[in-house]
Amino acid sequence: MDANEIIERRACISGIGQSEVGRRLNRDPFELTLDGCLAAVEDAGLRVDEIDGLSTYPGMGGPPGFSGAGAIAVHDALRLELQWFDSGIETSGQLGSVIKACLAVGAGLANHVLCFRSVWEGSAQGTKGRAGVMPGGGQRSQGRTPGGEWTLPFAAPSAAVWVAMFAQRHFHRYGTTREQLAQIALNARKNAALNPKAIYTEPMTLEDYFNARMICSPFGLFDCDVPCDGATAIVVSRVERARDLRHTPIRVEAVGTALRGRPSWDQFDDLSTMGNRDAGAHLWQRTDLKPSDVDLVELYDGFSFLTLSWLEALGLCPVGESGPFVEDGKRIARDGELPLNTHGGQLSAGRLHGYGFLHEACVQLRGQGGPRQVAKPNPQVAIAAAGGGNTCGCMLLTRE
Amino acid sequence: MTLRKSFPVFDCDAHINDPIEIWSEYVEPEYRDLVMDTYWKDNKQSLLNGRTRVPGAANYEFADWSYNPASISGPGMQDKRVLRRLQQMRTTPEQKDYLDHKGAYESHARLRDMDLMGIDQVVIIPSMILNNLPYAENAEGASVLVRAYNNWAVDYCKAAPERLFPAGLLPPQNPTHAVEEIRRLAELDFRVALIPAHGRKRKLPQSHLLRHWRRRGEHGCGFPSVRGDGARPRNPYLSGAASGAKFSDGFAKPIHDERDDRQVDHSKFYEVDCRDPGAIEAAVRSIAASGPIDSLFYCAGLPGGSFSGVDVMLVNFLGLRHMAEACVSHMKPGDAIAGISSGAGMGYLMAMERIQQLIALTGHAEARTWVETNADEDWFEGYSFSKLPYVVAIVEIEEDPAVRLMTNIVNAEPEDVRVGMPVRVVFEHHSDDDGDVWIPLFEPDPERS
């Protein structure tokens, strides 16, 4: 492919920001969103009036806590003058919104696009936990969940049940075990201890992992991410406009957005890979870099199994072998060959829903991880991947 | 000031929102620690069994920009859509305070509200205590707490005793204490008492209460369950003391026929070991000797836990059946028999084959033999019925493998379900106001296994 056609290469990440993050902040979700946005703009060294693009996932709506604010609300609050804006939930995962921003700056539609993802699920769910906001579990679906008629009658209201089945399929097909899966949770918890904004930082042992209550086999409590409140924002800029900004730009080398099978959580042809398979493969088609060039990875762990699935989808290990790949816990550790989820993932740092991984990838590439900075010096290449099922996307990032 | 109207209005379900003073001022100081470990509410949290935070409907549980729905809950506000919109509505602190109707805590404010609404008289009912008390593990603590509540209620109603009536709260953990409290409340001129039940439409309580519900058997406590849809009888029941169950018509309040001026004697107690068919028959003969039996309310039961599975089945099912059969010949058409069902209820679809085996054995002795024979099976253990997980699966249709259905696997032990196992469809019929629906479930296919 002609490099000129890889439009995302014209984009870079010039600023990152995040509001305070907590289990139940009980703060106004809109204020939290703006905190994150303003932090990113400031980090980029830009003024608010220099932002001419806006992108977010999912936009307005969703179950309580799922979105702190949509694009229009932020556009208005910040009094932006935009050349391009977008929001939506039907896209290649949460990072689809950032990928679109890259395309917008690549096309010359905007110079600096503010992208944000804000959640307040911790406060919204309150003491009832997820059941309080689940269709069928606490509230009626009312057509909000696409395909709900095929899942709710069987008490399978959410991805917790569906992805659990995909994990079972992977276990059955490849012999993956819970002990291997546990490494994702254990690694995240270890890294979270070094992240001042992480929700859960207490050490977790394998015994703790197995003693936790089962949610939906094979997932126990620690295989599922922790709902929280927090807003994360990213500024995507045209490379030419970013060179004199505050930080060294993080380049977008390639993106993966493909979804080739049926876009269905249960009809997709290979349930053990989900759509991650296609987005992962797509990314490598758009670069000369190889999986072996990657220094660190931040891979979605809404459920621990999703991380295993991304490792395979991105070719970081052979298909079916993600279990053995993570088994010793050393390879994916902060001082290992392929540090993974260095901020603690969504399993321990909090379910910031996709953007947390991109934020952390940038922190690491900039060398700003502090105590949790990866041990290898000068990391150059990172991957941020988010999503699963029929909504997945990934980005290959390099330090300029 | 009352409105002019030509009919009296009586609200028999006038909730109050349990104020903190019930705990801080009405629980006797010497029992404070005990009640703190049972069910406690203060200005920071509501705590169940000393370890689980539960909703207490206190103002501090709701964000400053929101409001406390407990104090203004009412018709139409239970609709989930309305509730969701209300929960996302922003209020100022002044609005929040305004919406927190003081009548929920304080009687003079209540009387003003009643006047405004044209309500003449109310029976006040507690709120979160009803939800949480059934899961309290300590029977003595629960009894102390209900005393405190009842004493508070008396004081609340003193503002206007001809308009405010307290409903007495009884402790579900211990029938003996409940009876004692009934007697004390009668002295205090209470007209009605209530006993909170585990009454949820789903099989199990909310997740944060689950561990308490499971442990209640260990403490020898039970509690009544009086709601459920007709198809799936719900579980637990009042436990008796020690190893048998007390059969007492002091519990079963006779349905007194006004046309019949027979005086019913409430004071007879018969101790019966409900595991023993002979004892049941003897007791029924004695009762029937003093007159016909108008109704049977079989609420004896064993909660599993320290009781053997065989004893659980003997008391909870075989005893119920035997007693009902013994009573029936002394009853007339139209009389009532009520039982609180037990182990067979939970997950009955999965246990259907075994249940049918058991109920086909109509004699007490042969049924007992069946129970004893199966007593060592995994599925049989006391309350294991109530702990059955359900299985969700994605099934590929043989006639067109590109088509898959999300479904439940039924009629199989969860441990026996395997990826790739052959299954066949079983349709489950449901109907409601909108019509009939058949849900495709799948069971192991014996012909292709």
Side-chain angles (χ1 to χ4, degrees), chain A residues 359-399:
Chain A
H359 181 276
E360 179 69 3
C362 294
V363 164
Q364 292 285 345
L365 288 176
R366 285 180 183 176
Q368 291 176 341
R372 69 178 193 274
Q373 180 66 30
V374 297
K376 58 173 84 169
N378 292 322
Q380 302 282 330
V381 183
I383 296 183
N390 61 6
T391 180
C392 11
C394 45
M395 301 178 70
L396 182 64
L397 307 162
T398 60
R399 198 177 71 194

Side-chain angles (χ1 to χ4, degrees), chain B residues 427-449:
Chain B
F427 286 101
E428 189 178 75
H429 179 223
H430 294 262
S431 66
D432 62 12
D433 295 338
D434 293 330
D436 292 288
V437 148
W438 283 266
I439 312 262
L441 304 177
F442 286 80
E443 63 179 3
D445 186 346
E447 285 161 34
R448 284 152 56 233
S449 296

Side-chain angles (χ1 to χ4, degrees), chain B residues 148-178:
Chain B
Y149 171 79
N150 290 332
N151 291 339
W152 171 85
V154 166
D155 284 346
Y156 180 98
C157 295
K158 273 183 181 148
E162 75 290 357
R163 294 186 70 191
L164 305 172
F165 299 90
L169 189 58
L170 301 175
Q173 282 76 3
N174 185 310
T176 309
H177 292 175

Side-chain angles (χ1 to χ4, degrees), chain A residues 217-353:
Chain A
S217 54
F219 295 155
L221 186 64
F222 295 132
D223 293 297
C224 307
D225 60 10
V226 50
C228 65
D229 300 342
T232 312
I234 307 282
V235 178
V236 170
S237 300
R238 250 178 104 80
V239 171
E240 298 79 16
R241 296 302 199 98
R243 293 226 157 82
D244 48 1
L245 293 181
R246 182 166 293 165
H247 301 283
T248 315
I250 305 294
R251 301 296 300 270
V252 179
E253 167 73 10
V255 301
T257 55
L259 183 67
R260 298 216 155 79
R262 287 185 60 185
S264 156
W265 283 84
D266 58 9
Q267 307 300 317
F268 192 79
D269 49 284
D270 189 345
L271 295 178
S272 64
T273 68
M274 302 166 283
N276 299 350
R277 168 196 71 188
D278 297 334
H282 193 201
L283 178 145
W284 296 116
Q285 289 169 7
R286 299 172 74 77
T287 177
D288 293 330
L289 291 177
K290 302 263 174 301
S292 50
D293 295 319
V294 179
D295 291 314
L296 61 105
V297 287
E298 313 292 348
L299 307 179
Y300 196 74
D301 63 350
F303 300 101
S304 51
F305 174 69
L306 292 171
T307 307
L308 293 189
S309 150
W310 275 114
L311 285 167
E312 295 179 12
L314 288 161
L316 297 161
C317 70
V319 171
E321 293 188 23
S322 51
F325 187 78
V326 303
E327 194 162 35
D328 67 356
K330 294 196 170 67
R331 188 187 265 127
I332 54 174
R334 201 175 51 81
D335 57 356
E337 292 155 39
L338 189 65
L340 166 70
N341 293 350
T342 51
H343 56 320
Q346 292 188 176
L347 291 176
S348 285
R351 181 179 153 78
L352 293 164
H353 214 231

Side-chain angles (χ1 to χ4, degrees), chain A residues 28-29 128 137-139 142 144 150-151 153-156 161-162 165 169 172 266-269 271, chain B residues 55 65 80-81 84 88 90 202 206 390 392-394 402-408 419 439-441:
Chain A
D28 181 333
K128 277 175 137 195
Q139 303 177 356
Q142 301 163 47
R144 176 177 295 139
W150 301 106
T151 57
F154 310 103
V161 178
W162 315 330
M165 285 193 280
R169 175 109 198 124
H172 167 81
D266 58 9
Q267 307 300 317
F268 192 79
D269 49 284
L271 295 178
Chain B
W65 50 267
K80 300 279 197 304
R81 277 166 296 188
R84 192 159 52 242
Q88 291 169 352
R90 296 240 190 298
R202 330 127 151 272
Q206 294 167 318
Y390 63 91
V392 180
I394 296 178
V403 171
R404 306 210 197 98
L405 293 179
M406 186 135 358
T407 184
N408 297 125
V419 173
I439 312 262
L441 304 177

Side-chain angles (χ1 to χ4, degrees), chain A residues 127-140 152 155-157, chain B residues 80 135 197-210 213 223 225-230 232-236 345-347 386 388 390:
Chain A
T127 50
K128 277 175 137 195
R130 282 186 234 239
V133 300
M134 268 289 120
Q139 303 177 356
R140 277 186 39 207
L152 294 177
Chain B
K80 300 279 197 304
Y135 304 98
H198 160 56
R200 299 257 161 226
K201 287 200 184 116
R202 330 127 151 272
K203 293 180 197 166
L204 299 172
Q206 294 167 318
S207 54
H208 67 287
L209 297 172
L210 198 52
W213 184 75
F223 53 84
S225 165
V226 296
R227 252 195 275 163
D229 60 62
R232 297 184 191 213
R234 289 295 162 240
N235 51 340
M346 274 311 179
S386 65
L388 271 176
Y390 63 91

Side-chain angles (χ1 to χ4, degrees), chain B residues 35-40 46-54 131-137 173 208-210 212-213:
Chain B
V35 178
M36 280 184 88
D37 272 339
T38 306
Y39 173 49
W40 188 260
S46 297
L47 200 65
L48 181 63
N49 294 320
R51 58 188 192 276
T52 300
R53 290 184 74 156
V54 290
N131 277 7
N132 294 320
L133 190 64
Y135 304 98
E137 290 166 1
Q173 282 76 3
H208 67 287
L209 297 172
L210 198 52
H212 300 288
W213 184 75

